[in-house]
Amino acid sequence: MSEPGCGAANGSSLTRRVALASAIGTTIEWYDFLIYATAASLVFGRLFFPSDAGLTSSLLAISTIGVGFLIRPLGAVILSNLGDRVGRRAMLVGTLSAMGVATTLIGLLPTYAQIGVAAPIMLVALRLVQGFAVGGEWGGAVLMAVEHAPRGRRGFYGSVVQVGFPVGLGLGTFSFFLLALLPDEQFLAWGWRLPFLLSAVLVSVGLFIRLRVPESPEFERARNSGELVRFPVWQAVRRHPRSVLIGLGVRLTELSWIYVLTVFALEYATHTLGIPRDLVLAAIAAGALLELVTVPLFGAVSDRVGRRPIYLAGSVAAAALAFPVFWAIDSGDPIAVVCAFALGMAVGHGVMYGVQASFLAELFGANVRYSGASLGYQLAAPIGGGLVPVVATYLVADAGGKTWPVSLMMIGFAAVTIAAVWVARETAHGTESTSTAPEQAWAERQGELEAS
């Protein structure tokens, strides 16, 4: 049952409860998805892809991270289409359940030494399930918060859900930080499995919370007024192709930054430079803590000054950091390394990520919003999260261990993001072109076509 007016009640307890529930569920989902990347950078090469050439093992292990990103657009297409037809809440319960099962099973997998080639095959299959689930997670989670929030606070409440990413990253990184204190033999034998097995407990908590929140009032309103369309994904692409492409463009920089730092730079710093892994993991955890400030801060500021100015500032800052971050890592100085990871994450990723939920959601009307926002968000995943860490690893090896090609690549992505934000319209101050009348007119035209 919908609760009329709940989305307009500024600071209402329901709005806060929905945002908190979405954030907790998203934290668990990202924890599950991201601990895979940490494990792949640290141990999967040796356990599932053994090779005489260390670079080959690293590339194979890191490539399996990309499998999860490659499948995310498919998850977005199928699950967001259902989310715009049957509701946000049902999809969120399903994605969290699928993610939890896959993550727990990864923690139970036998290694290559135990069962041979079947081990990496099963690992990749479970990574596909993870990627498919997260493909439908983000859109539903942010829409539950944004659509319950009053229009003047959508940036802030959307950013509360986005906090789930650094919290999930921080929890996962901290767990590996503690386990990294084990002797290598114990860490490789059983220590790396514990963060995956913990998922079973976390998912149970997340499901209990998510089942207690109501459906989005804007979705209920669209359903009750007959505005839902038969194929939301197709209509989002057909009616809003520019917005979908803008979503792809604005995501490239922040997405590339976070995975260059947490996947490529983690592997590069520990394996190539020989920096202690506990120091690098601590640096990533510090960056995640800083994002707990930058993500909600800039989400809230965007409610006042607009989404575009904040996003442009974040992308310019990311370009400015491209060389200094890697210079600091290459120095090997502990303080410089921590600052590089922390600032790269908090600024290169956090500023834009805090605005992203409301920015992308407001580009689309309620009856195709899950589909449109999810497509724009997830189409960037195979590039920024899947290919970039692998390409970065190859570029550094080809450049004789130098990181300047990676810095140039990051500046190139920032240029694309700046262009995308520049051509986007401002969405923060109550634009009605993404809701009400145009959506009703479209629904009426669809009804006429289907009747004929």
Side-chain angles (χ1 to χ4, degrees):
M1 179 180 296
S2 63
E3 300 188 30
C6 65
N10 190 1
S12 71
S13 60
L14 176 60
T15 302
R16 291 192 295 269
R17 181 159 58 90
V18 170
L20 182 60
S22 295
I24 291 173
T26 302
T27 295
I28 296 168
E29 193 110 6
W30 281 123
Y31 166 86
D32 284 0
F33 191 74
L34 294 170
I35 57 173
Y36 184 100
T38 304
S41 299
L42 294 176
V43 299
F44 282 175
R46 285 179 282 177
L47 295 179
F48 291 92
F49 304 95
S51 170
D52 293 335
L55 177 61
T56 300
S57 292
S58 295
L59 283 172
L60 287 173
I62 292 175
S63 295
T64 66
I65 300 173
V67 169
F69 289 95
L70 292 174
I71 200 68
R72 277 168 62 172
L74 179 61
V77 168
I78 295 175
L79 298 177
S80 66
N81 194 73
L82 291 172
D84 276 327
R85 288 185 58 81
V86 304
R88 287 60 163 128
R89 184 171 173 269
M91 290 302 100
L92 291 178
V93 171
T95 57
L96 186 58
S97 300
M99 179 66 83
V101 170
T103 305
T104 303
L105 289 177
I106 289 174
L108 297 172
L109 278 181
T111 64
Y112 186 94
Q114 294 171 314
I115 63 170
V117 72
I121 291 175
M122 289 191 290
L123 180 68
V124 171
L126 291 172
R127 181 59 173 173
L128 285 171
V129 176
Q130 282 191 321
F132 187 85
V134 86
E137 157 71 19
W138 179 86
V142 299
L143 293 189
M144 285 291 282
V146 169
E147 291 181 347
H148 274 89
R151 183 173 290 277
R153 302 293 305 282
R154 284 180 169 180
F156 171 70
Y157 281 110
S159 70
V160 170
V161 180
Q162 298 289 75
V163 165
F165 183 95
V167 174
L169 175 63
L171 288 175
T173 302
F174 183 68
S175 66
F176 273 100
F177 171 75
L178 293 179
L179 292 168
L181 301 177
L182 291 171
D184 273 355
E185 183 179 347
Q186 295 181 34
F187 182 68
L188 290 172
W190 55 266
W192 69 269
R193 299 179 183 274
L194 297 183
F196 291 90
L197 298 178
L198 179 61
S199 173
V201 177
L202 296 178
V203 167
S204 298
V205 174
L207 288 174
F208 175 78
I209 294 171
R210 280 194 166 170
L211 287 169
R212 295 170 63 86
V213 298
E215 181 57 85
S216 156
E218 290 197 25
F219 174 79
E220 293 277 29
R221 195 175 302 122
R223 178 165 58 188
N224 293 338
S225 61
E227 296 179 18
L228 302 186
V229 295
R230 180 174 294 181
F231 301 111
V233 169
W234 167 240
Q235 303 307 341
V237 173
R238 182 178 177 182
R239 297 190 59 218
H240 305 285
R242 185 169 178 267
S243 294
V244 171
L245 290 176
I246 286 173
L248 167 61
V250 301
R251 281 225 69 207
L252 279 178
T253 299
E254 60 84 14
L255 183 67
S256 299
W257 256 116
I258 197 65
Y259 287 108
V260 157
L261 288 171
T262 60
V263 178
F264 160 73
L266 171 60
E267 194 279 338
Y268 170 74
T270 56
H271 293 166
T272 303
L273 300 180
I275 298 173
R277 67 187 177 202
D278 55 348
L279 172 63
V280 180
L281 290 172
I284 293 174
L289 285 174
L290 277 180
E291 286 206 70
L292 298 184
V293 177
T294 57
V295 169
L297 172 63
F298 287 99
V301 172
S302 76
D303 284 325
R304 292 182 174 273
V305 305
R307 319 297 184 214
R308 292 176 71 248
I310 300 299
Y311 222 105
L312 284 171
S315 54
V316 170
L321 287 170
F323 278 98
V325 161
F326 290 106
W327 289 337
I329 294 173
D330 285 336
S331 75
D333 179 75
I335 295 177
V337 169
V338 171
C339 289
F341 279 92
L343 289 178
M345 292 170 60
V347 178
H349 177 258
V351 174
M352 289 176 279
Y353 201 63
V355 187
Q356 200 169 86
S358 53
F359 192 19
L360 295 188
E362 290 164 347
L363 291 173
F364 302 92
N367 61 351
V368 297
R369 185 173 290 146
Y370 200 146
S371 300
S374 294
L375 276 178
Y377 186 89
Q378 300 296 359
L379 284 174
I383 303 171
L387 292 178
V388 165
V390 178
V391 171
T393 301
Y394 173 79
L395 288 175
V396 170
D398 189 59
K402 304 297 183 181
T403 56
W404 62 263
V406 180
S407 298
L408 291 178
M409 179 175 65
M410 300 311 297
I411 292 173
F413 282 130
V416 173
T417 295
I418 290 169
V421 178
W422 191 262
V423 301
R425 59 183 175 80
E426 181 55 67
T427 65
H429 305 304
T431 307
E432 293 299 321
S433 61
T434 56
S435 61
T436 61
E439 300 300 336
Q440 287 182 326
W442 176 256
E444 290 170 2
R445 288 197 297 273
Q446 280 298 107
E448 293 171 359
L449 289 173
E450 292 168 6
S452 63

